[in-house]
Amino acid sequence: MSLSPELMSELEQIVSRYEQPAGGLLPSLHRVQEEFGHIPEYALESVARLVGVPKALAYGVLSFYTLFYTEKQGENIILACESFTCSLMESEKVIGEVERVLGIKAGETTADEKFTLYSVPCLGDCDKAPVLMINWKMYENVKKEEIASIIDTF
Amino acid sequence: MEETRVLLKNTRDEKNRTLSGYLKNGGFRAAKEALKTMEPSDVISIVKKSSLRGRGGAGFPSGMKWELCAADKAFPKYLICNADEGEPGTFKDRELLENDPFAIIEGMLISAYAIGASKGYVYLRGEYRTAGKRLELAIEEAKKKGYIGDNILGSDFSFDVLVYMGAGSYICGEETALLESLEGKEGNSRIKPPFPVNVGLWGKPTVVNNVETLCSVPHIVLNGYEWYRALGSGDECDGTKIYSLSGHVNKPGNYELPMGATLRELIYDIGGGIRNGKKLKAVFPGGPSSSCLTPDDLDTKMDFKSLALAGSMLGSGAVVVMDEDTCMVEVAINTVSFYADESCGKCTPCREGNLWIKKILERVRVGEASEEELSLIKDLGENMAGTCFCALGMGAPSAVLSLISKFRDDFVKHVQIKGCPKRVIVR
Amino acid sequence: MISVTVDGISVELEEGSSVLDATMAAKVYVPTLCYQGNLERFGACRLCLVEVEGFRKLIAACTTPATEGMVIKSRTPEIDSMRKTIVELLLLHHPLDCLVCDKGGECDLQDLAFNLKVTKDRFGYEETPLSYDKMDSVILRDMSKCVLCGRCVRVCDEIRNIGAIGFSKRGIFTEIGYPYNRLVHCEMCGQCIASCPVGALNSKISMFESRPWQIEKQETICSYCGCGCSFVLECKGARVVKVSSDESKKHDVNSGLLCTKGRFGYGYTNSPDRIKTPMIRKEKGEELVSVSWEEAIEFVSEKLTKIKDENGADSIGGLGSSRCTNEDNYLFQKFFRDVVGTNNIDNYIRGEHAPTLVAMEEMLGLPGVSNDALDSMGESDCIIVIGSNPSNTHPYVSLIIKQFVRGNGTKLIVIDPEKMELSRFSDSQLRVVPGSEVSLLNCMTSLLMKNSKGVSALDGGKKLFEHTSKYTTDKVAKTCGISAEDIETVVNTISESEKISIVFGERLVSQLNGTDNVKALINLGMVVGVFDDKKGCGFYPLRSSNNVQGCSDVGVLPDFFPGYERIGEAGSGDGLSAVSANTLPGSVGKNFYEMLDAALSGSLKAMYIMGENPTLAFAGAGKIVTALKKLDFLVVQDIFMSESAELADAVFPATTYAEKNGTFTNLERRVQKVNAAITPLFDSLGDWEIIQRLACKMGANYSYKDSGEVFDEITRTVSSYEGITYEGLADHGTFWPYNDNGEPAGSSSISPKIMKPALVEQGDIEKTSQEFPFLMLPVNILFHHHSGAMSSRSEGLNMLSSEAICEIASDDAKLIGVSDGGMVEIRSEQGCIKLKCNVVIGMKKGSVFVPCNFKDAPVSSLFGVTSETVGFRALPVKITTAVEG
């Protein structure tokens, strides 16, 4: 398995924007994940070579950041804020409901690979707590009762 | 008390997100002024005189930072806009990033001119995709119109800006961890000294400034430092501050007030008081990295000095309000869990300490811990504050320690009745 | 300098020192886990907290710069309490299996818990089960014990420049790991084990072998390649159980860094395959039988004396050992010259670097030696590696080249057909057709002469330029199978560099045109100034075995007396003569290949082989075996019952380096002390002691009491060793030659005596044919050395690689009809071998890489040899599928 020449040349272009190739590591991983939904091993290998970082160290970087995934993810990714303000606004009920509706726990993917749920730290929308972020879109002042219908829209 | 919307003046104007809208609102006047009529040292001087202090949390004098960087002979220099807003309860930078992207560009332009940086990065937290898109559009437009690029506004100053997306890590908001991340590494804070102003990105002199800090710059340049200083409470706590008010208040939101407004003014005058007619139990004036305050502290001014005197800190201005029904054990567990998840894992006390505080608190929650173990948390917390590698670890236990010291009864009761007196659902 | 006080003790420090340096200078103990002297500051464990007057908080000593006048306190009740809590935290999920943990007794965490009296569990210990890595490797990882000090990760990246492991995840989930649970790029050097302060990284072969207090340690020199790395043999009784090293020893060749062979290849010393007693074969056709030393010596003495009396001294020949000590080899040659009376002696250099000896002598007037220490390469602007894969054959050379490339920005050019570890670090690699090097080197020489102006200074430079100009870039690109553009890029890189070093190895010299190759390389070297007496300018032939250099230095050569005194020249051999009882033979002896011819023709009747297994180690197994069988009498003195020993009429059991005192001379000309760690096993004796016994039996009166006395005589007979004392070698050895003041004379002393360019033409290149359509390229693998005699008898290395596997391009594999992991037969005109194959996607068609380190696939047998050829060269072969067994 290898990355397509088109993607490789795009990555080369991304990397060329930085003073040193290693600066292109995170942006390249973002681009790869945009393509595959996660970062497969062969892709990491190509990216690591491209930016001149040993694979194990590139993997260390990849696994440090929670928004990079090494395994296949659901079609839709739900980030449920569990942080300070949201928890004051009873986010645990919201997360519990999402778990119930999807039949999975936070950190898991549904069997039909349609949803992956993560409970995450503050999403920076605390005046509208509790919040969910689904595929980067914000759902604000979410009530437990609305969860099923929100999920139905996907 | 009323809002003083300087930075937030145009954030409700959707047109402000386009260059023409921004120009109509008076945008880039400050940049023109700076690049055309001022020497870089003049810009630094005015910012120094304004006593502008970093709005990201640490409150370091911005003008001094710039001066140190400008004085370094090494080249190239870099300017980083720290848009890795991640302190729980903070959402002020997102409002600026999404709704006033050109102000950030203008602030960066002036700052870069002052320090002699040829390249800038906006390090944006990975979740802020909307902000990222708007910012990139803005940069593109600014480039087309010559506000970014070579020989900006006819001067011999050239500057380029790139948006760099983080990927889910709170510690990358710490400026040296941010630099590591920009260099394609894990977000581990660096050993200081050397400081970024001398050895920063790729080993070159670098200034890292918060979004709100940079957005303040054009106003200072345009209106003068006297104007800016007159806004605040004086004593190096000047200008306006955007407070992110959230929690159990009637009107949560971002509010820009003269620095030094009191907690009471913010929570009651501006925020409409506590929800459902409840009483205030506690407030974190600077997010979970700060120590909590109680109703007794309501008249404390929310500026760097007054809050420090009250045993807490201004931080990023995340004012999180808790009503009388709040279980402080849950709050403590929530904050320490956050740090346990976000610790980079490098130094022993932060990596292990947060985890064990959490474990003990979880035992307290269900009444399995003894009262003596509360002092164990104190011991551990103090150890962390004294031994951790970076500010994250040092600040991590402060919320928990302040909660235990100010609401000890909450904790003791859990132990005594083997559960939560408020019967908060335990997940 | 700055001065500070630590606990009231004043110390002076270099500018830039840390507070921890200050405590160390004051000899005040401050605990650390993540600190390691040769790594960058890290500051993770937080144990080295100290109090500094005027500081608000405790500071980490390792990351805080010491400043003038600092007043440091290393211990206060507060510090103790902070440290204790940190240790408690580390112990909270650390397995408490110290009873059986391999690190028990030398574990930093154990010591810390002990020193800080961590007696109680205040937090609620949670037992973590042991979690040994499933990976089948000599490095056994148990991450349940890891304290995340990161020394392994940092040493792998910062020092070894490999980066096989890294921190992964974060927070409490942080672990030392590798991508997707697959370990790649790891060279199994085990430096990570050496760095680990706890029991998280272990050597599988050392586990459950010993406790630290049962160990006796002895520093000595590695017995594998020519680098001559220092290390420590850790022995329990008569058994070597571990190899360790001291990374603080900056003046050793290797600064305490070891490769996989050095660290894990010690097992052969205690191998059950050791020859245990002397053995003789009374009559041809009979079995070898064990006898006493007296009987064996008597037997050999009688036979050799008889043969000498009947056929003359020149009917006897000897092969010394590039693995034995200088003392062993010195006495070997003395025995032959003084007692037997012949110059028919040779050593492994004949199978390898003889062309280097010839070419350097002719063009530079120098014996084939490196003209500077390895670390001088750090001053080079550009390093050229040609015909060698040092990462496998000389790992330390590769290690420092990588350090210089990454740390100093040194340019690296690789000229070799094999894709190798150094390829990743090189600016360019020219993957030339084997055998076409003269063309390339001539072409580069002419281009470089054109580029530079100072060339006319070279005597004969004009002629050289005219000659090499015939080798035009376009023509040469075609001959060498590379692009003209690439040649020009490389030439430009070299032109832009001021100080250049050249490193070359067996693949350049082991060829039909080997001598011409070296000559062409010397031409190039002269043009770019590698022979200048400047740090950073150097010419480094990489000799494969630990003492190829010393073996030749002390005269185990048919045409030189000790010290490279050419036989036949006036005054030559005077030194040796003065210490010999008999007149030395005056005519040049036969080299090894000439001895084989003489044996086949019947004029050579007997051979004495010390510590060498020519049957596998030299090319041409078929001819060698036939010749050895034809002899009337063959003596083999060795540690193992080798293929050659099996043919012998008398076998002497010798000791390994671990049982020896003496000296080795590495490829830098550094003479180093070898120290016995254990007493001789079984009935074995040191090589020189055996020779002494035999010599005495044959009428000599040698009475050397120890190797020191033999070494003293070497310093009197080998002029370049004059002035060196045995005692003076104790620490990190010394470089020959010495000056008149009894000090090392430095690199200038071996500047070329002459500078004579040689006009060499491209000779024949091995061509594939319809019958033999593939070109076999012999390679050395990382995990074995030479013919594998020692490495294959070491458990650790066998765990890493136990069978020969060749590499074939996927397109070729389809054609042959073999799949990955299948068996193939590789046949040449002379013989055939069978081995497994690894099908490589993306490899260039038409060649096959075959490892030369396995006796089950003896590459030696594929070659025919004459006295003109050396070593394992590229060879046309036929490949077919084969059945296992």
Side-chain angles (χ1 to χ4, degrees), chain C residues 517-534:
Chain C
N517 285 350
V518 182
K519 286 181 177 174
L521 186 64
I522 295 173
N523 287 336
L524 178 84
M526 288 174 176
V527 169
V528 300
V530 303
F531 302 105
D532 291 358
D533 180 26
K534 265 193 269 184

Side-chain angles (χ1 to χ4, degrees), chain B residues 168-170 186 191-194 340-349 351-353 355-356 359-360 363 373 376 379-380 382-383 385-389 394, chain C residues 41-46 49 57-58 63-65 81-83 85-86 88-90 92-93 122-126 147-148 166-174:
Chain B
S169 164
Y170 167 72
E186 288 102 328
I191 294 164
K192 286 178 277 194
D341 288 346
E342 296 298 335
S343 162
C344 81
K346 176 176 160 176
C347 80
T348 316
R351 179 184 67 239
E352 309 286 340
L355 176 82
W356 287 92
K359 285 191 179 199
I360 297 167
R363 290 206 301 268
E373 281 179 274
L376 197 54
D379 196 57
L380 202 46
E382 281 167 0
N383 184 287
T387 65
C388 281
F389 185 95
M394 292 182 201
Chain C
R41 309 184 291 162
F42 198 56
C45 73
R46 317 308 288 170
L49 295 161
K57 291 169 69 172
L58 300 181
T63 57
T64 309
S81 142
M82 292 283 188
R83 284 182 189 156
T85 304
I86 290 169
E88 284 179 281
L89 287 172
L90 286 171
L92 277 174
H93 42 80
R122 294 190 292 157
F123 297 91
Y125 172 72
E126 284 182 7
V147 290
L148 295 167
F167 280 100
S168 59
K169 305 189 187 132
R170 73 181 189 211
I172 197 64
F173 301 108
T174 308

Side-chain angles (χ1 to χ4, degrees), chain B residues 137-196:
Chain B
L137 280 175
I139 290 170
E140 208 173 298
E141 221 184 332
K143 270 186 191 166
K144 270 189 207 145
K145 295 281 155 64
Y147 292 99
I148 296 175
D150 292 341
N151 303 101
I152 297 166
L153 301 170
S155 70
D156 54 7
F157 179 64
S158 303
F159 181 60
D160 190 21
V161 179
L162 262 185
V163 175
Y164 195 97
M165 295 301 283
S169 164
Y170 167 72
I171 183 59
C172 290
E174 194 279 337
E175 62 177 5
T176 60
L178 181 151
L179 294 174
E180 289 285 292
S181 184
L182 262 173
E183 291 181 6
K185 301 180 202 153
E186 288 102 328
N188 299 130
S189 302
R190 292 180 181 173
I191 294 164
K192 286 178 277 194
F195 293 96

Side-chain angles (χ1 to χ4, degrees), chain B residues 398-413:
Chain B
S398 53
V400 174
L401 294 183
S402 69
L403 287 167
I404 295 179
S405 100
K406 290 178 181 168
F407 300 96
R408 194 175 172 89
D409 280 357
D410 272 33
F411 293 82
V412 173
K413 264 207 190 99

